[in-house]
Structures are given as structure tokens and as C-alpha cells.
């Protein structure tokens, strides 16, 4: 199959959706398919893909409607004899999806790692007319879309994210920097979605009562200064550390005592999967995908979003119980190793793409 992934996310942005696309593209290419990942020039996703040996192309999509860009993409898709186009953002569907229809590309799919479709008429028009299906990573998202009444039963396909568990990770020795401290770690874009303000509030609750905890966050984003100010205002800046962006967080995950996800919404939170793969116990908010990935009370604890008191209580419940943390960590590792491997994800994706291509070709 000739497969094109297109992701027009900002040049300096790289999150779970971008990681999924590069992983999917690379593994499908290794299975013998011709795969191209397209995005903005000098973007992180293209640079990362190139480092992984994935063929890349520069396609700039800047707005929801662009007749010239659509015409250029249509010619490009024809030249590359594209069988399947997989789009990331809604504007990718509107511009590149339309181009694929003009070019006669057999299959156009949208990939939704989180809820990207509301009940707005433009979403209905875009997805029902310009795509042949949606790939998502969470049954909760599929069920939400089913409630709209727009799509056939098999239009939305759930393919869980997968991970390649690294075997040679050297854990960060946090004890050198923070002797005698227990490390609570989190990672993600410093955006409202990730709920770090609630983690700061939870940390403030705990640090008023004890001085043996350090909270460390890897990530960057537009709220960085605002969040740092919030930590300073609460007097916890020495115990709530912002580490900046890290392309590989496995060493930090393996070296921490507990991982926390404070997000307000997600699709299937990759970072929780990565923490479980490093045998770390997890406290996570009850967002899309969390209960499908985790086992409540067995691999970690799930709390309501936007509730720092509940977050603090869950952290407190685990941070002093080393045996329980080890048990949760081992159960989490086993769950990922058995059900959320990259091999399983790629096999399911390949099977679905082949089915969709065969289905479309049989109608022609």
C-alpha cells in the first residue's frame, strides 16, 4: 500500500498524536508498505520522523479552506499514487481530504487521538463527505461519536495505542539532586488541557504537611511562566521543578516513585502507558482512555479531573506504601506488555487499512 500521513500541527509542537503518527508510519514502512509522513517545513514531527528513517514531505496547510493548497496536494497525491491518506487535524481533512477526493485517492481516514469532532454542522459535513472512516484510540470516543447519529456502526474504528518497551533504560538517580526525597513525576505540554495547575494545588496541599516530596514536570508550552508563577505564589517553587522539554522521558519515569497525570481531557494518554511500561504506579484523572488502559486499584488510582484534593489524597495513599507501589508497577508493566504493544497496534492498523482499501476498491 502507498500510505500518506499528514499532520499540519505547529512547527514546535509534538505530542501524543505526533508520536502515534511517527510510530505508525515507521512500523508500516518496516512491514513493506511505502509510507510518507507530511507536515510543515522544519517541524518537530518531520525532524523526528526523519531521525527514525521515515520518508517525509513538506506540505503546508495553514487554514481550513485553501483552494490553491488543495489543488497542489491533489496533484502530489496523484503523482505518488496514494492509496490511503490519514489526516491528523480537522483542517488536514478539509484541505487534504478534499484534495484526495479530487485526486481519486481510494481511502481517506481521520485519526482522532482525542475528541476532535463536536455536533457542529461543519464537523458532520467534513467527516461524512471527505473521509471514509475515523481511527481512534478509545472506546469512549467511539461511543461519543456514535451518539451523534451521523456515522454507520463501523465508521469509527478503535485501535489502541501501542508501545515498544525499551529494555536498556538507565533510571535517573534523583537521589543525587534530592537526597531523602520521594519523586512524583509528570510530563506533558504546559497547556490548560494537561491540568498542571491542579497538580500544583495538590502539591501545595501535601507540602504544607511534609517536606520529603519533590514534584518534577517535563514539558514546555505557553503556560510555562504562568505555572511557574503559581508555584512561586504558593511557596513551593523549590519542591515543584519544571525541567523543560525532554524527547525521552523513560529514564525519568524509571527513576521516579510515582507518576501523575492531571489532565482535563485526553484520548488514550500515551504517557500513562509509558509510565506503566517502566513499572511505575500511576495516579491519573478520569479522562478518556484512562480506564481502558489502567485497572483501577490494580495498576494505579483514578481520580476526578479538576480536583486537587482528590489528587493529593491519591498521591498520599501511594507515596508511603512502597509494597503497593511495586505491586501496581508490576501489574501495569504486565498489562502493557500483554495488551498494548507496538506490534499489536501495527498489526491491527495494517489489517484495518487493508480492509478499508479492499472495501473501497470493491465498490468501484
Amino acid at each position: 500500500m502507498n500510505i500518506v500521513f499528514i499532520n499540519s500541527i505547529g512547527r514546535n509542537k509534538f505530542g501524543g498524536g505526533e508520536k502515534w503518527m511517527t510510530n505508525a508510519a515507521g512500523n508500516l514502512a518496516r512491514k513493506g508498505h511505502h509510507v510518507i509522513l507530511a507536515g510543515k517545513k522544519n517541524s518537530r514531527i518531520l525532524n523526528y520522523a526523519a531521525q527514525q528513517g521515515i520518508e517525509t514531505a513538506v506540505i503546508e496547510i495553514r487554514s481550513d479552506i485553501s483552494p490553491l493548497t488543495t489543488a497542489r496536494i491533489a496533484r502530489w497525491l496523484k503523482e505518488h499514487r496514494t492509496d490511503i491518506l490519514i489526516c491528523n487535524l480537522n483542517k488536514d481533512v478539509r484541505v487534504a481530504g478534499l484534495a484526495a477526493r479530487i485526486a481519486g485517492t481510494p481511502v481517506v481516514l481521520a485519526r482522532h487521538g482525542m475528541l476532535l469532532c463536536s455536533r457542529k454542522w461543519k464537523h458532520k459535513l467534513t467527516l461524512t463527505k471527505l473521509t471514509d472512516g475515523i481511527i481512534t484510540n478509545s472506546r469512549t470516543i467511539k461511543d461519543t461519536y456514535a451518539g451523534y447519529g451521523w456515522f454507520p456502526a463501523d465508521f469509527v474504528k478503535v485501535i489502541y495505542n501501542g508501545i515498544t518497551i525499551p529494555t536498556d533504560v538507565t533510571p535517573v538517580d534523583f537521589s543525587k539532586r534530592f537526597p531523602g526525597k520521594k519523586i512524583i513525576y509528570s510530563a506533558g505540554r504546559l497547556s490548560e488541557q494537561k491540568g498542571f495547575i491542579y497538580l500544583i494545588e495538590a502539591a501545595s496541599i501535601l507540602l504544607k504537611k511534609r517536606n520529603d516530596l519533590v514534584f518534577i514536570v517535563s514539558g514546555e508550552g505557553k503556560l510555562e511562566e504562568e505555572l511557574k508563577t503559581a508555584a512561586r505564589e504558593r511557596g513551593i517553587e523549590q519542591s515543584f521543578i519544571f525541567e523543560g522539554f525532554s524527547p525521552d522521558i523513560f529514564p525519568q519515569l524509571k527513576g521516579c516513585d510515582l507518576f501523575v497525570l492531571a489532565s482535563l481531557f485526553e484520548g488514550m494518554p500515551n504517557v500513562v502507558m509509558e509510565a506503566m511500561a517502566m513499572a511505575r504506579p500511576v495516579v491519573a484523572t478520569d479522562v478518556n482512555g484512562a480506564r481502558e488502559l489502567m485497572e483501577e486499584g490494580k495498576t494505579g488510582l483514578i481520580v476526578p479531573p479538576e480536583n486537587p484534593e482528590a489528587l493529593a489524597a491519591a498521591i498520599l495513599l501511594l507515596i508511603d506504601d512502597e509494597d503497593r507501589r511495586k505491586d501496581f508497577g508490576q501489574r501495569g508493566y504486565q498489562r502493557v506488555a500483554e495488551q498494548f504493544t507496538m506490534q499489536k497496534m501495527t498489526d491491527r492498523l495494517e489489517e484495518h487499512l487493508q480492509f478499508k482499501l479492499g472495501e473501497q476498491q470493491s465498490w468501484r
Side-chain angles (χ1 to χ4, degrees), residues 22-68:
T22 50
N23 285 335
N27 282 283
L28 287 170
R30 283 185 279 275
K31 278 176 162 281
H33 303 289
H34 181 215
V35 182
I36 301 174
L37 196 155
K40 291 183 176 179
K41 186 177 181 180
N42 295 325
S43 59
R44 276 187 176 171
I45 185 171
L46 288 198
N47 292 339
Y48 182 77
Q51 291 169 8
Q52 307 304 310
I54 299 166
E55 184 177 347
T56 64
V58 173
I59 292 180
E60 301 272 353
I61 297 177
R62 297 185 176 90
S63 61
D64 277 1
I65 300 173
S66 178
L68 288 176

Side-chain angles (χ1 to χ4, degrees), residues 247-285:
D248 178 11
I249 63 170
F250 285 117
Q252 290 94 324
L253 287 169
K254 195 168 184 179
C256 74
D257 296 292
L258 177 66
F259 179 80
V260 177
L261 179 85
S263 292
L264 311 187
F265 60 92
E266 290 282 349
M268 175 66 72
N270 278 338
V271 69
V272 168
M273 191 183 301
E274 291 168 345
M276 292 166 67
M278 291 294 99
R280 296 300 93 184
V282 175
V283 171
T285 46

Side-chain angles (χ1 to χ4, degrees), residues 132-241:
D132 303 297
I134 297 170
I135 298 170
T136 188
N137 52 14
S138 165
R139 183 156 293 281
T140 53
I141 293 176
K142 178 181 174 70
D143 292 344
T144 299
Y145 287 177
Y148 296 173
W150 299 344
F151 308 121
D154 59 350
F155 193 84
V156 181
K157 176 71 174 179
V158 177
I159 299 175
Y160 288 130
N161 293 358
I163 188 172
T164 300
I165 301 176
T167 57
D168 57 350
V169 177
T170 301
V172 171
D173 185 0
F174 286 112
S175 65
K176 291 182 178 179
R177 288 174 61 192
F178 308 106
K181 306 287 187 177
K182 294 175 181 177
I183 306 301
I184 298 158
Y185 182 68
S186 191
R189 283 180 290 106
L190 303 184
S191 64
E192 186 176 355
Q193 175 204 340
K194 299 300 182 179
F196 286 116
I197 188 63
Y198 299 101
L199 182 57
I200 289 172
E201 292 177 8
S204 180
I205 292 169
L206 294 171
L207 291 167
K208 286 176 181 176
K209 302 175 182 178
R210 53 196 295 169
N211 63 1
D212 63 336
L213 304 179
V214 172
F215 292 76
I216 297 177
V217 173
S218 291
E220 62 184 14
K222 62 183 180 181
L223 294 187
E224 182 172 349
E225 290 307 315
E226 182 179 323
L227 293 171
K228 288 180 176 178
T229 298
R232 281 196 302 272
E233 289 175 345
R234 290 160 177 77
I236 62 172
E237 69 272 18
Q238 299 302 315
S239 298
F240 201 104
I241 314 297

Side-chain angles (χ1 to χ4, degrees), residues 159 338-349:
I159 299 175
E338 291 170 3
Q339 299 188 37
F340 297 95
T341 65
M342 188 62 67
Q343 183 67 48
K344 283 192 174 183
M345 184 198 88
T346 307
D347 289 347
R348 289 166 183 161
L349 178 60

